[in-house]
């Protein structure tokens, strides 16, 4: 098996070549390796059996120099925190120079042993916390190398109604498909929420799905070890018997593989649905139909896939009452902004514009712009002009409040207002007021001094104007 070297991609590209060639000469194929004739495929094989027969040597692709080099570049580009061994991204290349041959041999003979993952809890937008598992940098490299080989094999067979963590798919495509279902009169949604999905994945069920498609036992053993790797949390190593923790490159693909059974069952029944990772919405025409679908799908998920449905967050309801990917679907298929999305945006802006942060207003506005630009770009398809106008006004008042407080005392406040054209008597009246900063920021002199033109001069970007420009650009492209 020859390995071609790609040219002109940097010093790290030939990092694995010599070690790989040596390992292949040793014939390190492990228990999953087979002779050339063993991949003969009978015409009576099923599609899965044919695929398994053709994937009994995929570890050679995983350990290929081009694949490992690509994985190295992706991992270093993504950066990320160190794992339990405290190795940083910057230390990965020196480590590989010393250990590349041993790494490749362990992949080819199936003996690679992942390290414990580092457990980290982060707050969830809706309250509570989400458990992340951060693998070591080397384990992330191996997971990325496996992902690059498995994804082209597994992804083409996934449902076209699955949109999360897939190449060429996006949340906006999922929303567009949901719009067509609602516009067609399916205005009742069966909204299924899986309880702690990534923490509840059954290893046996998942590995059975992977073994359907992949015949290389070496790869299956290594993937299983990744699933079963312990989690270090609070100085204690916790054994894991279920779950595929978020934080590793491989977890989203494995999640889609497991939930593909759900997609295929929904397709078999002729349902119209959209799934984005573990967020699944099924669109029906009546409440009664929705109740029947909910009962049968819950039984399928909990019985066959051994997943737990969160009954408190799942519901059968008119689309107007539910949200999907931060949007709200309106009758007729239009898109609106979900109330919780607006609340989360205001919470984020409150944090950025806290009056006691002690940073310059220019830096604060730059941080505001960084957040709002991305937020408005994501919600560019929502009909929310009046909501954004109100949010602009609220944000400007927050920033007026910050600027007044930065003046601290009456004289600097009066000088600041007078410099911006407020008559002296009105400036001093506001400066000497005993009202709180929020009340002062809403006063006419504060509005007169820190006007729309003043905010434009200091660089604040209007959410409403940005949204309008994005929608106009989208309309021009459609025409």
């Amino acid at each position: 098996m020859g390995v071609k070297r790609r040219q002109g991609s940097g010093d790290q590209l030939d990092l694995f070549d010599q070690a790989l060639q040596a390992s292949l000469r040793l014939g390190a194929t492990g228990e999953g390796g087979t002779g050339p004739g063993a991949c003969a495929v009978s015409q009576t094989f099923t599609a899965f059996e044919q695929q398994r027969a053709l994937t009994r040597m995929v570890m050679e692709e995983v350990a290929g120099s081009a694949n490992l080099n690509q994985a190295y570049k992706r991992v270093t580009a993504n950066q990320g925190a160190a794992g339990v061994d405290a190795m940083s991204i910057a230390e990965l290349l020196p480590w590989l120079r010393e250990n590349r041959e041993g790494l490749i041999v362990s992949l080819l003979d199936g003996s690679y042993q992942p390290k414990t993952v580092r457990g980290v809890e982060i707050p969830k937008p809706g309250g509570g916390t989400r458990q992340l598992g951060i693998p070591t940098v080397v384990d992330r490299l191996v997971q990325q190398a496996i992902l690059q080989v498995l994804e082209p094999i597994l992804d083409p067979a996934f449902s076209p109604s699955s949109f999360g963590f897939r190449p060429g798919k996006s949340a906006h495509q999922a929303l567009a498909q949901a719009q067509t279902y609602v516009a067609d009169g399916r205005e009742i949604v069966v909204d299924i929420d899986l309880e702690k999905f990534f923490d509840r994945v059954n290893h046996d069920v998942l590995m059975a799905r992977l073994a359907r498609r992949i015949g290389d036992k070496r790869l299956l053993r290594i993937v299983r070890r990744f699933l079963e790797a312990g989690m270090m949390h609070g100085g204690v190593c916790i054994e894991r018997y279920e779950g595929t923790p978020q934080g590793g490159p491989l977890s989203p693909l494995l999640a889609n593989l497991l939930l593909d059974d759900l997609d295929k069952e929904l397709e078999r029944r002729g349902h119209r649905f959209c799934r984005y990772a573990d967020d699944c919405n099924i669109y029906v025409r009546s409440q009664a139909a929705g109740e029947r679908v909910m009962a049968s799908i819950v039984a399928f998920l909990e019985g066959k896939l051994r997943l737990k449905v969160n009954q408190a967050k799942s519901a059968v309801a008119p689309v107007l009452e539910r949200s999907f990917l931060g949007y709200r679907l309106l009758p007729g298929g239009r898109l609106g902004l979900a109330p919780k999305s607006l609340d989360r945006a205001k919470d984020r802006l409150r944090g950025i514009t806290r009056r006691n942060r002690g940073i310059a207003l220019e830096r604060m506005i730059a941080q505001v712009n960084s957040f709002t630009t991305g937020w408005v770009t994501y919600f560019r398809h929502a009909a929310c002009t009046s909501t954004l106008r109100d949010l602009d006004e609220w944000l400007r008042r927050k920033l007026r409040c910050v600027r007044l407080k930065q003046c601290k005392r009456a004289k600097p406040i009066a000088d600041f207002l007078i410099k911006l054209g407020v008559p002296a008597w009105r400036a001093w009246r506001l400066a000497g007021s005993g009202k709180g900063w929020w009340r002062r920021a809403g006063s006419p002199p504060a509005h007169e001094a820190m006007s729309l033109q003043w905010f434009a001069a200091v660089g604040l970007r209007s959410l409403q104007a940005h949204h309008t420009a994005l929608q106009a650009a989208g309309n021009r492209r459609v025409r």
Side-chain angles (χ1 to χ4, degrees):
M1 177 181 176
V3 179
K4 294 182 180 179
R5 179 177 301 174
R6 295 188 298 174
Q7 300 294 327
S9 301
D11 181 49
Q12 71 271 19
L13 288 184
D14 16 343
L15 188 63
F16 301 99
D17 285 355
Q18 186 176 2
L20 175 62
Q21 295 288 2
S23 299
L24 291 176
R25 285 195 295 272
L26 290 173
T29 57
E31 292 182 16
T34 59
C39 288
V41 180
S42 167
Q43 292 183 353
T44 61
F45 277 14
T46 65
F48 280 160
E49 287 171 333
Q50 292 177 18
Q51 189 177 62
R52 289 188 76 252
L54 293 170
T55 55
R56 288 178 182 162
M57 301 287 283
V58 291
M59 282 308 298
E60 277 66 26
E61 295 182 50
V62 171
S65 61
N67 186 58
L68 288 171
N69 288 325
Q70 183 182 350
Y72 169 82
K73 291 193 292 184
R74 182 65 59 85
V75 168
T76 54
N78 290 341
Q79 293 297 309
V84 293
D85 61 356
M87 181 189 293
S88 67
I89 292 291
E91 296 172 296
L92 179 58
L93 185 58
W95 185 93
L96 288 172
R97 288 192 174 118
E98 294 292 326
N99 299 278
R100 60 187 182 274
E101 185 170 344
L103 173 63
I104 290 173
V105 168
S106 68
L107 292 175
L108 290 173
D109 65 16
S111 65
Y112 182 81
Q113 291 285 348
K115 289 184 170 62
T116 301
V117 299
R118 181 164 70 88
V120 176
E121 289 188 350
I122 61 171
K124 294 173 67 174
T129 60
R130 175 178 287 114
Q131 179 73 57
L132 296 185
I134 302 176
T136 65
V137 175
V138 176
D139 284 345
R140 294 209 293 272
L141 172 75
V142 173
Q143 285 197 35
Q144 181 64 37
I146 293 173
L147 172 67
Q148 290 166 183
V149 172
L150 287 186
E151 191 168 65
I153 297 172
L154 301 177
D155 188 82
F158 290 162
S159 168
S161 294
S162 167
F163 295 90
F165 307 113
R166 296 185 60 193
K169 298 277 191 175
S170 70
H172 288 142
Q173 290 176 345
L175 289 161
Q177 183 165 302
Q179 283 183 274
T180 63
Y181 297 150
V182 175
D184 191 40
R186 301 174 187 274
E187 296 187 354
I188 301 296
V189 60
V190 182
D191 187 353
I192 298 175
D193 183 89
L194 295 174
E195 187 175 294
K196 295 183 177 180
F197 168 71
F198 284 91
D199 298 332
R200 296 281 175 86
V201 169
N202 183 280
H203 292 171
D204 293 333
V205 174
L206 175 57
M207 290 306 302
R209 271 62 184 171
L210 185 59
R212 286 178 187 171
R213 316 281 184 92
I214 303 299
D216 196 323
K217 295 180 181 178
R218 297 164 296 170
L219 184 138
L220 296 175
R221 284 201 301 270
I222 291 174
V223 170
R224 180 109 197 188
R225 289 183 195 130
F226 274 119
L227 292 174
E228 295 177 345
M231 179 175 291
M232 184 68 69
H233 191 75
V236 178
C237 184
I238 304 169
E239 293 186 3
R240 292 191 300 117
Y241 301 101
E242 62 180 4
T244 170
Q246 299 177 73
L250 200 52
S251 291
L253 178 66
L254 295 178
N256 275 331
L257 175 64
L258 179 62
L259 289 175
D260 188 56
D261 274 24
L262 170 63
D263 299 340
K264 295 298 191 288
E265 179 67 14
L266 292 171
E267 289 174 347
R268 186 184 69 81
R269 300 182 187 188
H271 290 307
R272 305 293 187 269
F273 70 98
C274 297
R275 182 176 65 78
Y276 193 93
D278 58 334
D279 193 354
C280 183
N281 280 4
I282 307 165
Y283 298 90
V284 296
R285 296 185 185 276
S286 70
Q287 185 74 20
E291 299 289 351
R292 290 194 300 271
V293 171
M294 174 67 85
S296 62
I297 294 303
V298 167
F300 175 84
L301 287 166
E302 296 187 345
K304 188 168 183 180
L305 299 185
R306 302 186 193 178
L307 297 170
K308 179 69 174 174
V309 175
N310 189 329
Q311 298 290 349
K313 294 185 178 180
S314 300
V316 179
V319 291
L320 188 62
E321 298 177 9
R322 307 296 292 180
S323 64
F324 183 48
L325 300 175
Y327 281 80
R328 182 171 58 167
L329 282 154
L330 308 175
R334 294 180 302 116
L335 290 174
L337 183 64
K340 287 185 178 180
S341 297
L342 178 61
D343 292 342
R344 286 196 288 267
K346 293 184 78 169
D347 285 344
R348 180 69 181 274
L349 290 169
R350 283 189 188 97
I352 296 173
T353 60
R354 287 198 319 272
R355 298 193 294 271
N356 60 354
R357 288 192 66 198
I359 65 173
L361 185 69
E362 292 75 14
R363 183 181 169 194
M364 185 177 288
I365 287 175
Q367 293 175 359
V368 166
N369 287 341
S370 178
F371 168 71
T372 58
T373 299
W375 188 81
V376 172
T377 300
Y378 178 75
F379 288 106
R380 64 187 180 273
H381 300 296
C384 56
T385 301
S386 62
T387 300
L388 293 182
R389 181 177 62 247
D390 294 343
L391 188 58
D392 270 330
E393 293 175 0
W394 174 84
L395 179 58
R396 287 193 295 268
R397 185 167 178 177
K398 293 282 291 181
L399 292 169
R400 289 187 185 105
C401 200
V402 170
R403 185 65 187 90
L404 289 175
K405 188 178 180 185
Q406 286 179 344
C407 294
K408 295 183 180 179
R409 293 180 296 277
K411 187 177 187 309
I413 293 175
D415 291 344
F416 171 71
L417 296 173
I418 293 169
K419 182 179 178 181
L420 292 174
V422 177
W425 69 272
R426 295 179 67 221
W428 276 103
R429 184 174 180 180
L430 177 60
S433 171
K435 295 177 180 178
W437 296 111
W438 181 252
R439 292 283 299 276
R440 295 191 209 184
S443 67
H447 277 255
E448 184 180 337
M450 291 173 278
S451 62
L452 293 177
Q453 292 76 17
W454 183 83
F455 277 112
V458 296
L460 181 66
R461 192 168 193 180
S462 165
L463 283 77
Q464 183 185 0
H466 182 39
H467 184 263
T468 302
L470 287 172
Q471 289 200 320
N475 292 337
R476 285 197 296 272
R477 283 195 293 270
V478 169
R479 294 193 190 97

